[in-house]
Amino acid sequence: NAGVMQNPRHLVRRRGQEARLRCSPMKGHSHVYWYRQLPEEGLKFMVYLQKENIIDESGMPKERFSAEFPKEGPSILRIQQVVRGDSAAYFCASSGSLGGYTFGSGTRLTVV
Amino acid sequence: QQQVKQSPQSLIVQKGGISIINCAYENTAFDYFPWYQQFPGKGPALLIAIRPDVSEKKEGRFTISFNKSAKQFSLHIMDSQPGDSATYFCAASRSRETSGSRLTFGEGTQLTVNP
């Protein structure tokens, strides 16, 4: 069991570019969550998805951010037209119907 | 209403000492309180968790104390070791199993255990 896999581990983007972060949940897990961690801060909830559905996106910024979890393939967090304030660590977690909330190792996004 | 406040921000203890980290919450609908340990460059890893129907839970050197009336809970690390040096986060959610539920995190405590 490979756990929650996130890639890339590090991502550098210039201002105005798009960032695509990928998350493959643990085998058997159908719930995916995205969190953002700014330097020296705790994790902030962004969005919760199940296969092909966004269940709770109350933590997502209204503009430039989107997330999907297609029927096949990993969950994607997309940030369009990145700005320096988007620089952070983005963590994905997954859980099954009986719990088992597990985090990946994160993607460190740096906007230059 | 959704906040979880954590203290101290940083903590230094000697090897063999007791590390104590405190958290307070506001939302009485929270019913699951996990603690996570995070090493640099890694994701948070579940350390221990408690539900509000018990006042204490112990797993090895780690103990959670829970005070429902005060809406506070704390992590105690007994016989602290240098390998315990990490950032610790308390969290809370409204689902016992955290399946399909968002976690609200505290701001974290940077623990350093000196040899």
Side-chain angles (χ1 to χ4, degrees), chain B residues 36-55:
Chain B
Y36 284 84
Q37 180 188 56
Q38 185 179 29
F39 292 104
K42 300 294 185 182
L46 179 65
L47 195 61
I48 187 173
I50 197 168
R51 293 171 292 178
D53 51 349
V54 297
S55 60

Side-chain angles (χ1 to χ4, degrees), chain A:
Chain A
N1 193 338
V4 178
M5 303 300 293
Q6 290 189 248
N7 65 82
R9 291 296 307 275
H10 300 274
L11 182 62
V12 179
R13 285 287 178 265
R14 296 186 183 278
R15 283 178 294 172
Q17 290 185 320
E18 179 180 281
R20 289 167 61 91
L21 289 63
R22 289 176 291 276
C23 169
S24 296
M26 284 185 67
K27 186 176 181 180
H29 282 188
S30 58
H31 306 257
V32 167
Y33 314 79
W34 286 92
Y35 288 79
R36 177 165 63 178
Q37 185 177 32
L38 295 170
E40 309 300 324
E41 293 188 13
L43 286 79
K44 305 294 185 186
F45 169 81
M46 300 181 74
V47 62
Y48 159 47
L49 311 100
Q50 292 183 19
K51 283 289 187 181
E52 301 184 278
N53 289 302
I54 297 174
I55 307 302
D56 179 357
E57 57 181 347
S58 58
M60 287 278 271
K62 299 300 181 188
E63 299 177 347
R64 301 186 299 108
F65 286 72
S66 63
E68 63 178 7
F69 188 17
K71 185 177 181 179
E72 301 291 337
S75 175
I76 305 289
L77 179 67
R78 182 182 292 110
I79 311 172
Q80 297 178 305
Q81 300 175 328
V82 295
V83 300
R84 289 218 171 113
D86 297 332
S87 295
Y90 292 83
F91 290 96
C92 168
S94 72
S95 70
S97 57
L98 297 178
Y101 215 101
T102 304
F103 282 88
S105 294
T107 294
R108 274 84 184 158
L109 172 66
T110 302
V111 179
V112 298

